[in-house]
Amino acid sequence: MAAKPRFRNPDNTPDPESPDVGAAAADRKHPVDETLPPAKMLTSGLQHVAAMYAGVVAPPLIVGAAVGLSGTELTFLTGASLFTAGLATFLQTLGIWKIGARLPFVNGVTFAGVAPMLAIVATTDDKADALPVIFGAIIVAGLLGFIAAPFFSKLVRFFPPVVTGTVITLIGVSLLPVAFGWAQGPNPAAKDYGSTTYLTLAAITLVLVLVLRRFTRGFVKQIAVLIGLVLGTLIAIPFGVTDFSPVTEADVIGFPTPFHFGAPQFALAAIISMCVVMLVSMTESTADMLALGEIVDRPADEKTIAAGLRADTLGSAISPFFNGFMCSAFAQNIGLVAMTRIRSRFVVAAGGGFLVLMGLSPVAASLISVVPRPVLGGAGVVLFGSVAASGIQTLVKAGLEKDNNVLIVAVSLAVGIIPITAPEFYHAFPETAKIILDSGISTGCVAAVLLNLVFNHLGGRRDDDEVTAPMEPGEEISESRTAKTAPVH
């Protein structure tokens, strides 16, 4: 088998992961650092935008609706998220100093922050103060995360798949009720809320997305959610539930005015909640960098992870200045890199350029505001359910044949699901504490980390603790089972 050529790193030093096969090969750029022809660069970058677009605009839509923003303000918030996602992607792909993994790594608004932000909105008396409180908490969490990045890269062993899988599953499960709410209509107080018309539109959209994912390939398959939203919106027009006023009222060119919703406010409980989200986000990004490094044949070492986390956290700290939310890696784009085998980070940087341009065009950002809530709800089932499914995929690697890990997952999921299944569970607690407790992601993450420390780190690890499953009818008693079974007195 021929040896791999030895590529050059971004700092022009030979890549130690590639064997040396001569001076000529050593001077060849790594595919990650190659620039492609302009046409291929732009179309491939646009494909990355298409794959992540629905994920970027969903969080501002959820939070903006909870705050009670008008269609115009919702368009502004969506555009701000697109703009800041582009800036964060630039930081990650192009990099400056020791900031940026310099991998084909797309950044955007993280889903992990949605549930805690909704909890902040719910516990804020004056909804006009909700976004400033959220932005203040994100700024602090981002700055603290930036300082902690090099240290966090050394603590990855405390966030194994049993922890990250539990948290990612909770993110998806926590967001599914939002999709169900969207499916019932735009206004919970309206008489037609939950009507058969709204539910039918949601179901049609869901079926469209599933059909596209099942019977199409390549680029069309990757943007199935986006196509489903477009087709669902067109189908909804005859039902009179599509509002085009946000597009007609939006400007062609605009800039996300800094602190458009007010100067940031700093509330301790909100800051703690978003710091927990930052830890979750950093854990996800670390796992994504490790996976992406393997896909592009440039393994992510501790230095690369630290630089990538600095880009994540700095992007998050800057984002609120332009009315954006916390930023993190988009795992679906890693799958796109694996599928297309286009490994150039400059392709993803081109995608970041598209995001910035879309954020500077309110008309482009307003298009998503046209989509009726039931249509969003149908697509949201796939979108948020996929997040939960990816968490389950991670848990498969967590070693659930061990009793310890089963207990960690069981208790952490139970703690995280409390705010969903029993919304009034913490009603007797102070309002500041409820901001954290009402976020199943935050409480579930803390529970998973602490339980993992207790069961898998403190006092030595017991790898021989296998799951004691109940016997099936007719199953013979094996020697190993009888040896572990306590005698009956």
Side-chain angles (χ1 to χ4, degrees):
M1 182 180 293
K4 289 183 179 180
R6 189 178 185 185
F7 301 117
R8 310 290 294 189
N9 283 323
D11 58 1
N12 207 35
T13 59
D15 186 348
E17 299 295 333
S18 301
D20 196 355
V21 292
D27 288 333
R28 179 185 169 190
K29 283 185 178 179
H30 193 286
V32 168
D33 301 314
E34 288 181 342
T35 54
L36 304 182
K40 190 172 184 179
M41 182 89 72
L42 294 176
T43 54
S44 298
L46 188 59
Q47 183 171 237
H48 274 283
V49 173
M52 71 177 293
Y53 183 82
V56 173
V57 300
L61 284 174
I62 298 170
V63 177
V67 174
L69 297 182
S70 64
T72 303
E73 293 294 302
L74 203 57
T75 295
F76 182 91
L77 191 65
T78 303
S81 293
L82 292 168
F83 179 77
T84 54
L87 296 182
T89 300
F90 283 154
L91 274 178
Q92 198 64 268
T93 54
L94 303 179
I96 54 172
W97 185 57
K98 296 181 179 180
I99 302 170
R102 293 172 174 82
L103 291 171
F105 208 48
V106 177
N107 273 45
V109 184
T110 174
F111 276 111
V114 175
M117 288 190 290
L118 291 178
I120 294 172
V121 173
T123 54
T124 303
D125 294 331
D126 188 351
K127 300 307 178 188
D129 292 332
L131 286 175
V133 170
I134 290 171
F135 291 149
I138 293 174
I139 291 173
V140 174
L143 294 176
L144 291 177
F146 184 84
I147 296 171
F151 306 102
F152 187 89
S153 63
K154 303 177 187 292
L155 300 176
V156 178
R157 66 191 185 95
F158 294 111
F159 293 88
V162 70
V163 173
T164 56
T166 300
V167 173
I168 297 171
T169 301
L170 280 173
I171 292 171
V173 172
S174 297
L175 292 176
L176 279 172
V178 175
F180 301 149
W182 282 349
Q184 296 178 78
N187 185 7
K191 291 183 178 180
D192 62 350
Y193 186 71
S195 66
T196 54
T197 299
Y198 288 147
L199 296 181
T200 300
L201 287 173
I204 290 173
T205 306
L206 174 59
V207 171
L208 285 171
V209 174
L210 293 176
V211 168
L212 288 168
R213 289 290 299 179
R214 174 62 182 86
F215 295 106
T216 61
R217 295 183 179 181
F219 183 60
V220 175
K221 184 174 182 178
Q222 287 295 323
I223 61 172
V225 172
L226 189 60
I227 296 175
L229 290 174
V230 173
L231 295 178
T233 301
L234 294 176
I235 293 172
I237 292 176
F239 294 91
V241 297
T242 306
D243 181 14
F244 289 96
S245 61
V247 177
T248 58
E249 296 171 1
D251 297 326
V252 177
I253 299 175
F255 185 79
T257 311
F259 301 129
H260 175 81
F261 296 99
Q265 300 179 24
F266 303 96
L268 181 59
I271 290 172
I272 294 173
S273 181
M274 297 313 295
C275 282
V276 172
V277 174
M278 179 58 72
L279 289 175
V280 174
S281 176
M282 292 169 74
T283 303
E284 287 184 68
S285 290
T286 299
D288 288 337
M289 276 185 274
L290 292 171
L292 183 59
E294 294 297 323
I295 290 171
V296 301
D297 295 324
R298 179 179 280 174
D301 55 15
E302 186 178 303
K303 180 180 177 181
T304 301
I305 291 173
L309 292 178
R310 287 192 189 98
D312 264 11
T313 52
L314 181 60
S316 295
I318 294 174
S319 187
F321 286 84
F322 300 101
N323 313 284
F325 299 123
M326 189 176 292
C327 295
S328 182
F330 267 56
Q332 59 264 46
N333 291 82
I334 295 176
L336 188 59
V337 172
M339 183 190 72
T340 62
R341 300 303 297 168
I342 297 176
R343 295 179 278 178
S344 172
R345 59 192 173 100
F346 298 106
V347 164
V348 175
F354 280 118
L355 290 171
V356 169
L357 291 176
M358 293 171 71
L360 295 176
S361 176
V363 168
S366 68
L367 292 176
I368 194 65
S369 300
V370 173
V371 181
R373 291 290 170 81
V375 173
L376 280 173
V381 171
V382 176
L383 193 63
F384 304 152
S386 297
V387 176
S390 67
I392 295 172
Q393 288 177 329
T394 304
L395 285 175
V396 170
K397 307 172 187 176
L400 295 185
E401 72 278 3
K402 311 299 182 190
D403 268 341
N404 286 353
N405 288 344
V406 170
L407 287 173
I408 293 169
V409 175
V411 175
S412 301
L413 285 177
V415 170
I417 292 175
I418 287 174
I420 302 173
T421 57
E424 300 299 320
F425 190 82
Y426 299 112
H427 74 278
F429 284 75
E431 291 297 316
T432 52
K434 286 168 66 176
I435 291 179
I436 301 172
L437 296 173
D438 281 343
S439 167
I441 296 170
S442 298
T443 54
C445 177
V446 172
V449 171
L450 292 179
L451 289 172
N452 180 59
L453 285 172
V454 171
F455 281 98
N456 290 333
H457 290 276
L458 299 180
R461 187 170 181 173
R462 299 175 57 192
D463 287 329
D464 59 338
D465 289 342
E466 295 183 358
V467 175
T468 52
M471 293 174 57
E472 295 293 335
E475 179 185 357
E476 294 184 2
I477 301 176
S478 64
E479 293 183 6
S480 59
R481 183 180 289 273
T482 55
K484 295 181 180 180
T485 305
V488 178
H489 296 287

